[in-house]
Amino acid sequence: MPDKINWSFNVEVLEGPKVFDSQTIDVEAYDKVEVVIDAGASDLEVTVQPGGEGQVKFLMIRSSFYGEDLTYKVNSNTTVIELDAPQLLLGKGAVKLLDSAPASLLFTNNTAENVTIQILVGRDATPG
């Protein structure tokens, strides 16, 4: 029986449109990671999931700090991504914006404080 990840969001523009959505994503496995990125750390590799291409369909990254001084790269990619807000990617198509098989994230913390990162990944465990 698959695990289920429930998600919802509520977006409201002041005196403008309001959008609410929620769904359940069925996953065969999930991976939860919580790690401290020391102040001054560079390219600290955090393994987020062992799956292959197209298996991740849910990826959430939360942090105790957000801003331009906290960044990450995906796998061996050289593109630097600012962690300036919580990040939530829903569906295989959205996750592929990072990489088709995001196995590890490499964090750089250019702040003066340690930062705690929480990552939740929902994925298929059987390729194909």
Side-chain angles (χ1 to χ4, degrees):
M1 183 168 133
D3 288 308
K4 297 184 180 303
I5 297 176
N6 294 327
W7 63 264
S8 64
F9 64 77
N10 186 13
V11 178
E12 181 177 343
V13 176
L14 189 60
E15 298 183 32
K18 299 175 186 178
V19 178
F20 173 82
D21 201 357
S22 65
Q23 288 185 5
T24 298
I25 296 176
D26 290 332
V27 297
E28 295 174 338
Y30 64 89
D31 302 281
K32 178 188 170 291
V33 178
E34 183 169 320
V35 64
V36 174
I37 311 298
D38 291 337
S42 180
D43 287 340
L44 178 69
E45 184 173 9
V46 177
T47 302
V48 294
Q49 63 94 23
E53 186 171 328
Q55 289 180 254
V56 176
K57 50 172 112 173
F58 178 95
L59 176 64
M60 179 190 73
I61 306 171
R62 292 184 54 204
S63 178
S64 61
F65 170 87
Y66 297 103
E68 63 185 16
D69 289 330
L70 180 63
T71 61
Y72 70 94
K73 296 183 260 185
V74 181
N75 298 334
S76 60
N77 194 329
T78 59
T79 301
V80 175
I81 302 166
E82 279 185 21
L83 191 54
D84 58 355
Q87 296 184 357
L88 178 61
L89 299 171
L90 302 167
K92 291 179 183 180
V95 172
K96 284 182 183 179
L97 293 171
L98 292 179
D99 190 282
S100 62
S104 62
L105 304 178
L106 291 89
F107 287 93
T108 296
N109 178 3
N110 288 322
T111 73
E113 302 292 328
N114 295 347
V115 174
T116 301
I117 302 288
Q118 295 174 322
I119 302 165
L120 183 62
V121 176
R123 62 184 173 85
D124 291 331
T126 53

